[in-house]
Amino acid sequence: MHTMHPSTCEDYLEAVLTVTTGTGRPATAEEIAGALETDPDTAGTALSALVRDGYLVRTPEGGIDLTETGRERAATVARKHRVLQCFLTEMLGIDGAAASREACTLEHEISDETIDRLSSYIDCPRPRHPGRRRCGRSTTTLLDFSEGDTVRVTVLAQPGCNRRLLDLGILPGEMVTIRRKLPNQGMVVRAKGCDIAISPEIAASIFVEKSG
Amino acid sequence: MKCALIGNPGVGKSLIFNQLTGLGVEVSNYPGTTVELQRGNTCYQREIIEVIDLPGVYSLDGASDEEVLVRRFLEQQGADVIVAVLNVTRLERNLYLLLQAAEYGLPMVVVLNMIDEAAKQGFTVDTAALRDLLGVEVLLTSALQGKNIDRIIPAALSAARPATLEVPYDHHIEAAVRSLDKMQGTDRFASLQALEGIGDDAELLETAKTIAEEIESRHRMTISQIIAANRHNFARQIADSITVRQKEPAPSFDLDTVLTRVIPGIPLLLGVLLAMLLTVFIVGGWLEGFIVTLFEVYAVEPFTALDLPGIVEAVGIAILLALQAGLGIAFPYVFLFYIFISVLEDSGYMTRAAFLADKAMHRLGMHGGAIIPVTLAFGCNVPAVMSVRTLRSRRERMIAAFLVTMVPCSARTVIIAGIVASFIGLAAAFSIYAIVFVLIVLTGLLLSRITPGERFGMIMEMAPLRRPDPELVLKKSWMRLSEFLFIAMPLLLVGSVFLGLFEFFGVMDVFEAFIEPVTEGLLGLPGYAATALIFGILRKEMAFETLAVLAGTADLGAVLTALQLYIFAIVTVLFVPCLSTITVLHREVGSRVTLAVTVYTVALGLAVGAVINFAFA
């Protein structure tokens, strides 16, 4: 049995990670072959090699799951993929599908150092650019939702100015319910069991996504 | 021994303080009522204990005036014992502040207040579990019912200890705390503060900043956000573990479905304000007449009958007149007005009003919270200017200070009612209000364009709706009235005495001769009217009486034309706020803004008077 090319190995691990995260249970060989668009036989061979190398384990039910080492390596590659794809689409304006293919090739060669720098380059908040679009995050704000909606906060633009929001429990990860929305966009949201009235411009700085 | 009360706004801290010390602290169901430290003493087992009521805050890491004040207080160990007051009906959010306060390491006692409210909502709190978690004494109280309040001081004296629990922070934060400890030997608390950029040690802050930037780039969140999230999550865990649900609360009708909608919310708001003003003016007018007559019959007439030597009589009359005017207005109008405002605040309605008015206030360069100073100003400008400090930015405070001083207070209303309504007619009186409101709006629009500074939107917790307690409402109205009585009244008295002396020595006549050509040309007013106008700064509510005295008759219609009366009234209403307002303005917003307000209102008053004069003469 020949040794797998590192990029193939990483592609498989990434696929297992995607499938298992998506379904929440161990993957099957068919699912992985489907995700990578190869035939099940090739996939079977590759998966066996990865099990032998200690990246994957076969579960008693016949599924395939990542080992700790495998999960780590897969997560690193997945992060590289995300950062690259973000850079290609958001910064260079390449179309999504093309960027994804490109990222798939680049992710295996790029160094960790470069990825870190690229990531902080993308993330670095520029003055006068609050609430810039971020990859993989929603770009909808509280203003895009209506009365009665429950949403999850993703990002607070201008975090320095609105410290009070943090202290009242309106911060990334928290669920808030819109209790009232006036035609002038002023709103009352419920967070931590308390009703908070906020001005439209504050609501516009709270990025949220539909929960569930 | 010193004992400080700390807690979120509206948790009943001030009420507990009142019950502990018997002092009058302004209690409000409105965020941001207590901005200064309130101190009072209480006696327990022959020991005097100083109790300090800290302003209500949501956090100790923020940059607002109250938060900085409380933080400094705790840093300097201003108290021997911290009494953390929590609202059990908002346990999770209140625990968030408690977790922060606990990090300061001062001996503390935890008071879970509003337990009666919790019982109504069908739950209670396992105090033993919370005591074990925190490592400090926990009391269940109800300040409204006075339950267990007497146990606070004994507990603070005998059982206060620093809390033992630590918030489990994100592992990057914990690692940063460890490395700061290794590098510089700072303790956990100082390191956390430094990571959030709080503290005075420049070297520590610099090191912490480098680490913080690293963590921020990895988390895509600011350090403050991460720390806040950790604390909130921990607070939630604690709240969940100690809340004992007894029964599901009966679904109650939510009044907010009515109060915060555009329809019927806004018509309701306007209706409430209008009904309040009308009631105050009708009932107040009746009371005013009553008090003024009393004074006339039992004080002024007997005094003049004494036939004292000239200068003594002049000063005496001036004092009596000032008292008559001050009490004639203070009690009827201002007190009634503050009763209404207090009811609106304590019921929680004021926060709804602020929410509804937010957008309109934005146009004027402020936010919804400014509705408090603006409505207060209808009573007396002095407490209104004092409440301007609850606004978030200097920009807003400046704009609010400007607009508040233009709002016709009860003294100016007396001029409108006494001169315009009685000699010209009701429609003319309302037209003065209309002109003043238009000018306020125009000024606001202008100021919001030209005033420098950051714009902040409103982030305001809606106070829960509750039935106001009559005793508390009266107490608070009295507190506000005393601001009028003890700040505005002495100045009125002094002003009035000076006025009396000027008159006695004939200064008025000299002044009159000097000013007459200007006012006659510009405003079409005789010299004595101008004098009444100028000296109205000293005692504005007396401008009407001054005019009557100087004209030599109370029947102003006989000596002045309708146009002259109208011009006199509108210029007096717009013209410079009274001396007391200027004094308070100076204290709250500084001399430059005060000067600007004064110059602007004088110019505006003269300009509007001149325009009317030339348009209709």
Side-chain angles (χ1 to χ4, degrees):
Chain A
M1 166 126 322
H2 67 281
T3 319
M4 271 173 90
H5 191 271
S7 71
T8 323
C9 160
E10 285 174 358
D11 281 340
Y12 273 95
L13 292 177
E14 204 181 344
V16 177
L17 181 70
T18 317
V19 172
T20 52
T21 321
T23 58
R25 54 172 176 75
T28 63
E30 288 74 35
E31 284 172 330
I32 293 161
L36 288 168
E37 293 168 9
T38 62
D39 61 284
D41 290 345
T42 323
T45 323
L47 290 172
S48 301
L50 287 166
V51 170
R52 192 194 58 216
D53 293 347
Y55 290 116
L56 297 176
V57 283
R58 290 194 190 277
T59 60
E61 295 83 30
I64 292 161
D65 208 348
L66 291 158
T67 61
E68 212 37 57
T69 345
R71 185 170 300 279
E72 230 166 71
R73 189 153 173 202
T76 314
V77 182
R79 168 160 182 260
K80 286 181 177 174
H81 186 102
R82 273 199 312 274
V83 173
L84 283 165
Q85 173 148 15
C86 179
F87 179 70
L88 295 172
T89 50
E90 300 292 321
M91 303 295 215
L92 305 185
I94 298 171
D95 132 273
S100 185
R101 277 196 305 277
E102 193 89 45
C104 275
T105 324
L106 292 171
E107 70 193 16
H108 306 296
E109 304 298 334
I110 196 159
S111 72
D112 292 349
E113 171 76 17
T114 310
I115 276 293
D116 278 348
R117 282 171 187 256
L118 195 57
S119 167
S120 54
Y121 173 75
I122 297 169
D123 264 1
C124 177
R126 307 265 162 76
R128 300 278 133 225
H129 267 278
R132 237 160 27 81
R133 276 164 55 100
R134 299 238 168 115
C135 264
R137 304 232 180 164
S138 72
T139 50
T140 47
T141 69
L142 263 182
L143 290 182
D144 299 314
F145 290 86
S146 39
E147 226 166 273
D149 287 346
T150 297
V151 292
R152 183 190 305 278
V153 179
T154 53
V155 178
L156 295 181
Q158 303 166 304
C161 305
N162 297 322
R163 163 91 218 184
R164 177 70 41 93
L165 288 177
L166 301 184
D167 297 323
L168 290 173
I170 302 177
L171 69 171
E174 288 292 336
M175 309 287 286
V176 298
T177 305
I178 301 178
R179 299 263 293 161
R180 175 75 66 238
K181 186 177 176 190
L182 296 182
N184 68 27
Q185 310 282 306
M187 53 173 78
V188 175
V189 296
R190 173 158 286 191
K192 305 265 169 206
C194 311
D195 286 343
I196 321 275
I198 49 181
S199 294
E201 69 270 29
I202 304 275
S205 75
I206 304 173
F207 287 78
V208 295
E209 63 190 12
K210 189 95 187 155
S211 68
Chain B
M1 198 193 78
K2 288 184 191 168
C3 170
L5 300 172
I6 185 171
N8 274 217
V11 295
K13 249 177 331 89
S14 299
L15 195 52
I16 291 177
F17 178 83
N18 274 338
Q19 293 182 10
L20 289 178
T21 64
L23 274 185
V25 175
E26 202 169 304
V27 182
S28 192
N29 191 13
Y30 190 88
T33 336
T34 324
V35 184
E36 283 163 352
L37 297 179
Q38 306 275 354
R39 292 166 191 271
N41 289 327
T42 183
C43 211
Y44 180 74
Q45 291 181 343
R46 300 215 186 107
E47 193 185 344
I48 291 180
I49 292 136
E50 186 179 353
V51 185
I52 301 147
D53 186 25
L54 297 170
V57 289
Y58 294 109
S59 161
L60 295 173
D61 294 344
S64 75
D65 289 353
E66 308 96 82
E67 285 164 338
V68 172
L69 182 77
V70 177
R71 184 162 69 231
R72 292 242 181 284
F73 181 86
L74 293 180
E75 276 167 1
Q76 291 158 4
Q77 314 212 320
D80 304 303
V81 175
I82 298 293
V83 176
V85 185
L86 278 67
N87 172 353
V88 268
T89 64
R90 296 180 167 191
L91 193 55
E92 187 181 331
R93 240 260 323 284
N94 282 245
L95 280 168
Y96 171 80
L97 178 69
L98 175 69
L99 290 174
Q100 290 185 42
E103 289 180 347
Y104 283 77
L106 293 168
M108 67 191 316
V109 172
V110 172
V111 170
L112 298 177
N113 194 25
M114 303 198 185
I115 196 65
D116 51 323
E117 195 59 39
K120 264 186 228 157
Q121 294 180 15
F123 74 92
T124 185
V125 174
D126 183 352
T127 46
L130 186 59
R131 186 179 302 132
D132 292 344
L133 270 171
L134 294 169
V136 303
E137 186 64 22
V138 179
L139 294 173
L140 284 180
T141 65
S142 164
L144 264 185
Q145 301 173 345
K147 192 178 145 197
N148 280 351
I149 302 298
D150 54 338
R151 288 177 52 194
I152 295 176
I153 294 294
L157 283 175
S158 62
R161 280 185 297 275
T164 50
L165 98 166
E166 280 183 351
V167 181
Y169 288 106
D170 175 89
H171 65 275
H172 285 126
I173 304 268
E174 293 285 359
V177 167
R178 276 195 301 275
S179 50
L180 281 174
D181 178 26
K182 251 181 235 150
M183 280 190 284
Q184 314 215 345
T186 40
D187 62 19
R188 180 183 171 82
F189 173 63
S191 304
L192 285 168
Q193 295 276 86
L195 284 172
E196 283 205 78
I198 301 169
D200 305 319
D201 184 345
E203 195 191 341
L204 174 63
L205 283 179
E206 187 59 40
T207 321
K209 191 166 172 246
T210 323
I211 302 178
E213 276 168 3
E214 179 67 28
I215 298 177
E216 286 178 351
S217 77
R218 284 182 179 278
H219 280 257
R220 301 180 177 197
M221 288 218 259
T222 64
I223 288 284
S224 298
Q225 285 181 351
I226 302 169
I227 289 182
N230 295 154
R231 285 180 183 147
H232 274 302
N233 288 337
F234 195 46
R236 172 181 297 160
Q237 283 172 25
I238 299 177
D240 287 347
S241 70
I242 61 171
T243 305
V244 184
R245 189 149 283 289
Q246 290 162 325
K247 60 177 185 341
E248 281 308 307
S252 57
F253 174 67
D254 185 7
L255 258 179
D256 271 337
T257 52
V258 182
L259 296 181
T260 58
R261 268 186 220 285
V262 175
I263 304 289
I266 288 181
L268 206 63
L269 173 63
L270 294 176
V272 165
L273 291 178
L274 202 64
M276 181 172 79
L277 291 178
L278 277 177
T279 320
V280 168
F281 294 143
I282 293 168
V283 180
W286 177 79
L287 279 172
E288 187 202 1
F290 181 70
I291 294 173
V292 167
T293 315
L294 270 184
F295 249 91
E296 199 63 44
V297 175
Y298 292 102
V300 181
E301 279 172 14
F303 185 79
T304 38
L306 288 177
D307 214 13
L308 293 166
I311 187 157
V312 180
E313 183 169 40
V315 172
I317 289 285
I319 291 175
L320 282 180
L321 281 180
L323 285 176
Q324 184 185 28
L327 297 180
I329 290 160
F331 277 103
Y333 293 105
V334 185
F335 193 48
L336 274 177
F337 191 78
Y338 289 148
I339 288 181
F340 276 100
I341 298 257
S342 307
V343 168
L344 290 186
E345 273 184 351
D346 284 5
S347 62
Y349 184 73
M350 211 47 130
T351 49
R352 274 79 187 164
F355 170 60
L356 289 174
D358 184 49
K359 188 77 178 186
M361 289 291 180
H362 267 62
R363 298 244 162 82
L364 304 183
M366 302 177 289
H367 67 67
I371 196 160
I372 283 267
V374 172
T375 29
L376 278 177
F378 280 99
C380 172
N381 284 180
V382 170
V385 172
M386 290 170 75
S387 69
V388 159
R389 63 170 90 136
T390 57
L391 298 177
R392 264 173 90 192
S393 67
R394 182 162 165 78
R395 176 187 137 91
E396 273 175 276
R397 288 197 288 270
M398 265 180 62
I399 297 178
F402 248 92
L403 300 188
V404 152
T405 48
M406 290 174 71
V407 173
C409 62
S410 38
R412 288 181 251 189
T413 305
V414 171
I415 296 166
I416 299 176
I419 297 179
V420 184
S422 44
F423 291 106
I424 308 174
L426 219 52
F430 277 108
S431 74
I432 291 199
Y433 272 113
I435 292 176
V436 172
F437 286 133
V438 167
L439 288 172
I440 290 176
V441 170
L442 289 177
T443 309
L445 290 176
L446 178 74
L447 285 175
S448 73
R449 276 172 190 274
I450 61 167
T451 316
E454 255 181 301
R455 286 160 184 267
F456 285 113
M458 175 176 68
I459 305 171
M460 175 185 268
E461 184 185 5
M462 301 280 258
L465 291 168
R466 50 172 98 115
R467 201 168 46 83
D469 180 61
E471 197 185 323
L472 289 178
V473 164
L474 280 178
K475 214 171 194 175
K476 181 153 67 174
S477 310
W478 174 252
M479 288 293 298
R480 288 212 166 115
L481 185 67
S482 63
E483 281 169 6
F484 172 89
L485 286 180
F486 299 120
I487 295 173
M489 273 293 278
L491 286 164
L492 284 177
L493 266 175
V494 174
S496 188
V497 169
F498 270 103
L499 203 53
L501 288 175
F502 286 159
E503 217 168 332
F504 183 76
F505 290 114
V507 181
M508 302 285 240
D509 299 330
V510 179
F511 184 80
E512 215 172 287
F514 174 72
I515 199 91
E516 188 149 21
V518 184
T519 50
E520 209 147 300
L522 196 62
L523 302 174
L525 291 177
Y528 63 86
T531 315
L533 208 60
I534 302 287
F535 289 99
I537 300 170
L538 295 177
R539 39 175 206 192
K540 197 156 228 170
E541 76 296 343
M542 293 281 293
F544 173 46
E545 279 85 351
T546 312
L547 185 65
V549 169
L550 292 173
T553 170
D555 185 15
L556 293 171
V559 287
L560 291 168
T561 66
L563 182 64
Q564 282 175 320
L565 286 172
Y566 191 86
I567 292 174
F568 177 80
I570 199 156
V571 177
T572 316
V573 168
L574 287 173
F575 204 57
V576 199
C578 64
L579 191 61
S580 330
T581 309
I582 294 178
T583 317
V584 182
L585 263 179
H586 179 72
R587 206 178 70 194
E588 297 289 331
V589 289
S591 53
R592 280 176 56 197
V593 178
T594 309
L595 189 69
V597 170
T598 312
V599 170
Y600 176 74
T601 45
V602 171
L604 191 67
L606 290 179
V608 170
V611 165
I612 296 176
N613 182 32
F614 288 116
F616 294 96

